[in-house]
Amino acid sequence: MSQSRAIYPGSFDPVTYGHLDVISRAAHLFESVIVAVATSEGKGPLFSVEDRIEMLKESTADNPAIEVVPLSGLLVDFARERGVFTVIRGLRAVSDFEFEFQMALMNRKLEARLETIFLTPKEDYTYLSSRIVKEVARLGGDVSPFVPPPASLKLKKILK
Ligand code: ADP
Protein backbone atom coordinates (compact mmCIF):
# COMPACT_ATOMS: atom_id res chain seq x y z
CA MET A 1 0.00 0.00 0.00
CA SER A 2 1.46 3.32 -1.00
CA GLN A 3 0.24 4.95 2.25
CA SER A 4 2.51 2.75 4.31
CA ARG A 5 5.65 3.85 2.54
CA ALA A 6 7.35 7.21 2.41
CA ILE A 7 10.30 8.75 0.62
CA TYR A 8 12.78 10.93 2.51
CA PRO A 9 14.83 12.76 -0.11
CA GLY A 10 17.89 14.89 0.52
CA SER A 11 21.58 15.48 -0.09
CA PHE A 12 22.80 13.91 3.17
CA ASP A 13 26.28 15.37 2.64
CA PRO A 14 26.96 13.84 5.15
CA VAL A 15 24.15 12.28 7.21
CA THR A 16 23.78 13.92 10.66
CA TYR A 17 21.98 12.89 13.85
CA GLY A 18 19.27 15.34 12.74
CA HIS A 19 18.61 13.30 9.59
CA LEU A 20 18.67 10.07 11.60
CA ASP A 21 16.14 11.53 14.04
CA VAL A 22 13.79 12.35 11.16
CA ILE A 23 14.32 8.87 9.66
CA SER A 24 13.45 7.14 12.92
CA ARG A 25 10.33 9.27 13.40
CA ALA A 26 9.26 8.45 9.84
CA ALA A 27 9.95 4.75 10.47
CA HIS A 28 7.45 4.89 13.36
CA LEU A 29 4.79 6.35 11.11
CA PHE A 30 5.32 4.22 8.01
CA GLU A 31 5.95 0.55 7.38
CA SER A 32 8.99 1.42 5.34
CA VAL A 33 11.01 4.48 4.49
CA ILE A 34 12.97 5.01 1.29
CA VAL A 35 15.87 7.38 1.92
CA ALA A 36 16.61 8.87 -1.51
CA VAL A 37 20.04 10.42 -1.86
CA ALA A 38 20.20 13.14 -4.51
CA THR A 39 22.95 12.44 -7.00
CA SER A 40 22.78 15.98 -8.43
CA GLU A 41 26.10 17.73 -8.35
CA GLY A 42 24.33 21.11 -8.36
CA LYS A 43 25.12 21.73 -4.71
CA GLY A 44 28.74 20.63 -5.14
CA PRO A 45 28.60 17.90 -2.50
CA LEU A 46 31.75 17.07 -0.55
CA PHE A 47 31.04 13.33 -0.75
CA SER A 48 30.20 11.18 -3.77
CA VAL A 49 26.70 9.75 -3.85
CA GLU A 50 28.22 6.29 -3.20
CA ASP A 51 29.88 7.54 -0.02
CA ARG A 52 26.73 9.34 1.13
CA ILE A 53 24.69 6.16 0.58
CA GLU A 54 27.26 4.02 2.38
CA MET A 55 27.26 6.30 5.45
CA LEU A 56 23.44 6.21 5.56
CA LYS A 57 23.28 2.44 5.08
CA GLU A 58 25.78 1.83 7.87
CA SER A 59 23.91 4.22 10.16
CA THR A 60 20.50 2.63 9.56
CA ALA A 61 21.59 -1.01 9.25
CA ASP A 62 19.67 -1.99 12.40
CA ASN A 63 16.32 -1.26 10.76
CA PRO A 64 15.41 -3.44 7.75
CA ALA A 65 12.43 -1.18 7.00
CA ILE A 66 14.80 1.55 5.84
CA GLU A 67 16.05 1.43 2.27
CA VAL A 68 18.75 3.79 1.00
CA VAL A 69 18.90 4.45 -2.74
CA PRO A 70 20.24 7.05 -5.16
CA LEU A 71 17.89 9.65 -6.59
CA SER A 72 18.72 11.17 -9.95
CA GLY A 73 16.33 13.45 -11.74
CA LEU A 74 13.03 14.71 -10.45
CA LEU A 75 11.57 13.51 -7.18
CA VAL A 76 8.15 13.24 -8.82
CA ASP A 77 9.48 10.82 -11.43
CA PHE A 78 11.05 8.71 -8.69
CA ALA A 79 7.76 8.79 -6.76
CA ARG A 80 5.84 7.60 -9.83
CA GLU A 81 8.36 4.81 -10.52
CA ARG A 82 8.05 3.59 -6.95
CA GLY A 83 4.33 4.25 -6.64
CA VAL A 84 5.02 6.12 -3.39
CA PHE A 85 3.50 9.57 -3.10
CA THR A 86 4.31 10.52 0.49
CA VAL A 87 7.40 12.63 0.94
CA ILE A 88 9.05 13.38 4.26
CA ARG A 89 11.05 16.52 4.87
CA GLY A 90 12.54 17.89 8.05
CA LEU A 91 11.76 21.33 9.45
CA ARG A 92 14.27 22.67 11.93
CA ALA A 93 13.28 26.30 12.17
CA VAL A 94 11.29 29.01 10.46
CA SER A 95 14.30 29.55 8.19
CA ASP A 96 13.67 26.15 6.55
CA PHE A 97 10.03 26.95 5.97
CA GLU A 98 10.16 29.16 2.89
CA PHE A 99 12.25 26.79 0.79
CA GLU A 100 10.43 23.68 1.99
CA PHE A 101 7.03 25.26 1.34
CA GLN A 102 8.06 26.22 -2.18
CA MET A 103 9.40 22.73 -2.90
CA ALA A 104 6.29 21.03 -1.54
CA LEU A 105 3.97 23.17 -3.66
CA MET A 106 6.11 22.79 -6.78
CA ASN A 107 6.20 19.01 -6.34
CA ARG A 108 2.46 18.94 -5.92
CA LYS A 109 2.06 21.04 -9.08
CA LEU A 110 4.18 18.49 -10.95
CA GLU A 111 2.35 15.52 -9.45
CA ALA A 112 -1.00 16.10 -7.78
CA ARG A 113 -0.87 12.84 -5.80
CA LEU A 114 2.28 13.88 -3.98
CA GLU A 115 1.93 14.95 -0.34
CA THR A 116 4.78 16.32 1.75
CA ILE A 117 4.84 15.63 5.46
CA PHE A 118 7.09 17.73 7.67
CA LEU A 119 8.69 16.26 10.75
CA THR A 120 10.55 18.24 13.37
CA PRO A 121 13.56 16.73 15.11
CA LYS A 122 14.32 16.60 18.82
CA GLU A 123 15.26 20.17 19.91
CA ASP A 124 18.89 19.08 20.40
CA TYR A 125 19.21 18.67 16.64
CA THR A 126 17.46 21.81 15.42
CA TYR A 127 20.76 23.67 14.97
CA LEU A 128 22.37 20.82 13.03
CA SER A 129 23.00 20.92 9.32
CA SER A 130 25.41 19.06 7.07
CA ARG A 131 26.86 22.43 6.08
CA ILE A 132 27.76 23.49 9.63
CA VAL A 133 29.16 20.05 10.44
CA LYS A 134 31.46 20.25 7.40
CA GLU A 135 32.57 23.72 8.53
CA VAL A 136 33.44 22.46 12.02
CA ALA A 137 35.25 19.41 10.58
CA ARG A 138 37.24 21.57 8.15
CA LEU A 139 38.44 23.72 11.03
CA GLY A 140 39.56 20.65 12.95
CA GLY A 141 36.66 20.42 15.42
CA ASP A 142 35.28 17.18 16.83
CA VAL A 143 32.08 16.32 14.96
CA SER A 144 31.34 13.06 16.77
CA PRO A 145 28.43 14.61 18.76
CA PHE A 146 26.73 15.63 15.50
CA VAL A 147 27.16 12.78 13.05
CA PRO A 148 27.13 8.97 13.34
CA PRO A 149 30.52 7.18 13.45
CA PRO A 150 30.64 6.27 9.71
CA ALA A 151 30.26 9.96 8.82
CA SER A 152 32.80 11.04 11.45
CA LEU A 153 35.34 8.63 9.98
CA LYS A 154 34.72 9.63 6.38
CA LEU A 155 34.91 13.34 7.25
CA LYS A 156 38.30 12.81 8.88
CA LYS A 157 39.53 10.89 5.85
CA ILE A 158 38.32 13.30 3.18
CA LEU A 159 39.55 16.41 4.97
CA LYS A 160 43.01 15.02 5.75
P1 ADP B 1 18.61 19.07 0.92
O1 ADP B 1 19.82 19.40 0.14
O2 ADP B 1 17.57 18.34 0.16
O3 ADP B 1 18.05 20.19 1.77
P2 ADP B 1 19.62 17.90 3.32
O4 ADP B 1 20.39 16.65 3.43
O5 ADP B 1 20.31 19.16 3.74
O6 ADP B 1 19.15 17.94 1.86
O7 ADP B 1 18.25 17.77 4.12
C1 ADP B 1 17.27 16.84 3.78
C2 ADP B 1 16.03 17.15 4.60
O8 ADP B 1 16.32 16.96 5.97
C3 ADP B 1 15.54 18.60 4.49
O9 ADP B 1 14.14 18.60 4.58
C4 ADP B 1 16.16 19.27 5.68
O10 ADP B 1 15.38 20.39 6.11
C5 ADP B 1 16.09 18.13 6.69
N1 ADP B 1 17.11 18.27 7.73
C6 ADP B 1 18.42 18.50 7.60
N2 ADP B 1 19.03 18.57 8.80
C7 ADP B 1 18.06 18.37 9.72
C8 ADP B 1 18.02 18.35 11.15
N3 ADP B 1 19.10 18.60 11.88
N4 ADP B 1 16.85 18.11 11.74
C9 ADP B 1 15.74 17.91 11.01
N5 ADP B 1 15.68 17.93 9.68
C10 ADP B 1 16.83 18.16 9.03
Coordinates of all heavy atoms in Angstrom, one line a residue, residues 8-12 18-19 22 43 89-90 92 96 100 121 125 128, ligand 1:
Y8 N 12.1 9.8 1.9 CA 12.8 10.9 2.5 C 14.0 11.3 1.6 O 15.0 10.7 1.6 CB 13.2 10.5 3.9 CG 14.0 11.6 4.7 CD1 13.7 12.9 4.5 CD2 15.0 11.2 5.6 CE1 14.4 13.9 5.3 CE2 15.7 12.2 6.4 CZ 15.4 13.5 6.2 OH 16.1 14.5 6.9
P9 N 13.8 12.4 0.8 CA 14.8 12.8 -0.1 C 15.7 13.8 0.5 O 15.3 14.6 1.4 CB 14.1 13.4 -1.3 CG 12.8 14.0 -0.6 CD 12.5 13.2 0.6
G10 N 17.0 13.9 0.0 CA 17.9 14.9 0.5 C 19.3 14.7 0.0 O 19.5 13.7 -0.8
S11 N 20.2 15.6 0.4 CA 21.6 15.5 -0.1 C 22.4 14.6 0.9 O 23.3 13.9 0.4 CB 22.2 16.9 -0.1 OG 21.5 17.8 -0.9
F12 N 22.1 14.7 2.2 CA 22.8 13.9 3.2 C 24.3 14.0 3.0 O 25.0 12.9 2.9 CB 22.3 12.5 3.1 CG 20.8 12.4 3.3 CD1 20.0 12.1 2.2 CD2 20.2 12.5 4.5 CE1 18.6 12.0 2.3 CE2 18.8 12.5 4.6 CZ 18.0 12.2 3.5
G18 N 20.6 14.7 13.1 CA 19.3 15.3 12.7 C 18.5 14.5 11.7 O 17.3 14.2 11.9
H19 N 19.2 14.1 10.6 CA 18.6 13.3 9.6 C 18.1 12.0 10.2 O 17.0 11.5 9.9 CB 19.6 13.0 8.5 CG 20.1 14.1 7.6 ND1 21.4 14.4 7.4 CD2 19.4 15.1 7.0 CE1 21.5 15.5 6.6 NE2 20.3 15.9 6.3
V22 N 14.9 12.3 12.1 CA 13.8 12.3 11.2 C 13.5 11.0 10.6 O 12.3 10.5 10.5 CB 14.0 13.4 10.0 CG1 13.0 13.3 8.9 CG2 14.1 14.8 10.6
K43 N 24.7 21.1 -6.0 CA 25.1 21.7 -4.7 C 26.6 21.5 -4.4 O 27.1 21.9 -3.3 CB 24.3 21.1 -3.6 CG 22.9 21.7 -3.5 CD 22.3 21.3 -2.2 CE 21.0 22.1 -1.9 NZ 20.4 21.7 -0.7
R89 N 10.0 15.5 4.8 CA 11.0 16.5 4.9 C 11.2 17.0 6.3 O 10.2 16.9 7.1 CB 10.8 17.7 4.0 CG 10.8 17.4 2.5 CD 12.1 17.2 1.9 NE 12.9 18.4 1.8 CZ 14.1 18.5 1.3 NH1 14.8 17.4 1.0 NH2 14.8 19.7 1.2
G90 N 12.3 17.4 6.7 CA 12.5 17.9 8.0 C 12.4 19.4 8.1 O 12.9 20.1 7.2
R92 N 13.5 22.4 10.7 CA 14.3 22.7 11.9 C 13.8 24.0 12.5 O 13.7 24.1 13.7 CB 15.8 22.8 11.6 CG 16.4 21.5 11.4 CD 17.7 21.7 10.6 NE 17.5 22.1 9.2 CZ 18.4 22.1 8.3 NH1 19.6 21.7 8.6 NH2 18.1 22.4 7.1
D96 N 13.9 27.2 7.5 CA 13.7 26.1 6.5 C 12.3 26.3 5.8 O 12.2 25.8 4.7 CB 13.6 24.8 7.3 CG 14.9 24.2 7.6 OD1 15.9 24.6 7.0 OD2 15.0 23.4 8.5
E100 N 11.2 25.0 1.9 CA 10.4 23.7 2.0 C 9.0 23.8 1.5 O 8.5 23.0 0.8 CB 10.4 23.2 3.4 CG 11.8 22.7 4.0 CD 12.4 21.5 3.2 OE1 11.6 20.8 2.6 OE2 13.6 21.3 3.3
P121 N 12.7 17.6 14.3 CA 13.6 16.7 15.1 C 13.5 17.1 16.6 O 12.9 18.1 16.9 CB 14.9 17.1 14.6 CG 14.9 18.5 14.2 CD 13.4 18.7 13.7
Y125 N 18.7 18.8 18.0 CA 19.2 18.7 16.6 C 18.8 19.8 15.7 O 19.1 19.8 14.6 CB 18.8 17.3 16.0 CG 19.2 16.1 16.8 CD1 18.3 15.1 17.0 CD2 20.5 16.0 17.3 CE1 18.7 14.0 17.8 CE2 20.9 14.9 18.0 CZ 20.0 13.9 18.3 OH 20.4 12.8 19.0
L128 N 21.4 21.6 13.8 CA 22.4 20.8 13.0 C 22.1 20.8 11.5 O 21.0 20.7 11.1 CB 22.2 19.4 13.5 CG 23.2 18.8 14.5 CD1 23.0 17.3 14.6 CD2 24.6 19.0 14.0
Ligands
ADP1 P1 18.6 19.1 0.9 O1 19.8 19.4 0.1 O2 17.6 18.3 0.2 O3 18.0 20.2 1.8 P2 19.6 17.9 3.3 O4 20.4 16.7 3.4 O5 20.3 19.2 3.7 O6 19.1 17.9 1.9 O7 18.3 17.8 4.1 C1 17.3 16.8 3.8 C2 16.0 17.2 4.6 O8 16.3 17.0 6.0 C3 15.5 18.6 4.5 O9 14.1 18.6 4.6 C4 16.2 19.3 5.7 O10 15.4 20.4 6.1 C5 16.1 18.1 6.7 N1 17.1 18.3 7.7 C6 18.4 18.5 7.6 N2 19.0 18.6 8.8 C7 18.1 18.4 9.7 C8 18.0 18.4 11.1 N3 19.1 18.6 11.9 N4 16.8 18.1 11.7 C9 15.7 17.9 11.0 N5 15.7 17.9 9.7 C10 16.8 18.2 9.0

